[in-house]
Amino acid sequence: LARTNYLSWRLAGEAIGGMDAKVLEHEQRKRETAAARLVQAIKFYERALRLKPDNAELWSNLAFSYVALAKFDDALRAIDQAIRLKPYKAAFWLHKGSISLSDNSFAAAVEALEESLRPDPSDFKTLCNLGIAYEQVGDTSRAAACWDGATRNNPGAPLPWVNKGQHAYAINDI
């Protein structure tokens, strides 16, 4: 597998203008090292959870590790466990919504992100993510409302402005 990945990287480099094979090989080694570290982190979190299965933060950290490896089903199981332990923690609901977005489960993302907004309806990160989720399920008016809220709360942040611009362009409202 590593050889196949290296060859793919080398061919890709040649295709985009002859990137140096050593640079590509170095980048591939970095990715493989990062993946190996994430696998090791998952083992450590799992071991810690055998000792402290009621630690919601450990479950959340395990979910982050799974997301980095694009193991979304495992990530959702881990974050659901964190939520079961601390259902009032908005950050866990935000994390679940983000995982659902990454997994293209947009209706589930809307549900989790709406729950994340309950304690703080002006939370910038949640509003940005919820706007994306609403747009993906076809609720463009709610998406626009989320981005309006995000720009009011943090006018210097570019993401909601970009989303608003893309939305306006998509509906020819420019």
Side-chain angles (χ1 to χ4, degrees):
L1 182 63
R3 175 91 175 125
T4 303
N5 286 340
Y6 168 73
L7 290 174
S8 297
W9 276 99
R10 185 171 184 176
L11 291 172
E14 290 170 3
I16 61 171
M19 282 183 91
D20 183 50
K22 288 183 180 183
V23 171
L24 294 172
E25 186 176 345
H26 175 72
E27 291 300 315
Q28 180 63 25
R29 275 198 309 271
K30 281 178 26 182
R31 282 181 177 77
E32 290 170 357
T33 300
R37 287 183 180 151
L38 284 167
V39 169
Q40 190 66 34
I42 288 169
K43 289 179 184 177
F44 289 140
Y45 284 126
E46 288 172 344
R47 185 169 182 188
L49 285 163
R50 283 193 295 275
L51 298 171
K52 296 263 187 189
D54 59 343
N55 187 313
E57 282 72 21
L58 285 174
W59 284 106
S60 178
N61 290 342
L62 178 62
F64 274 112
S65 298
Y66 281 132
V67 166
L69 292 173
K71 293 184 171 191
F72 301 119
D73 290 339
D74 292 331
L76 285 169
R77 279 192 289 278
I79 200 62
D80 281 343
Q81 186 66 14
I83 289 170
R84 187 184 68 70
L85 294 166
K86 290 188 176 180
Y88 53 85
K89 190 161 183 176
F92 292 164
W93 288 102
L94 172 60
H95 191 187
K96 181 175 182 167
S98 298
I99 295 167
S100 296
L101 279 175
S102 297
D103 195 29
N104 297 323
S105 300
F106 303 118
V110 166
E111 183 180 320
L113 293 165
E114 285 177 343
E115 189 65 33
S116 178
L117 271 184
R118 287 187 198 282
D120 181 7
S122 65
D123 182 71
F124 176 78
K125 288 181 185 178
T126 303
L127 286 170
C128 288
N129 283 298
L130 185 56
I132 293 167
Y134 276 139
E135 185 171 58
Q136 292 300 317
V137 298
D139 194 339
T140 56
S141 63
R142 284 188 177 169
C146 286
W147 296 325
D148 286 343
T151 55
R152 271 192 309 277
N153 297 335
N154 193 348
L159 179 63
W161 291 105
V162 169
N163 290 339
K164 285 175 73 163
Q166 289 173 340
H167 173 72
Y169 180 80
I171 62 170
N172 296 316
D173 187 25
I174 54 173

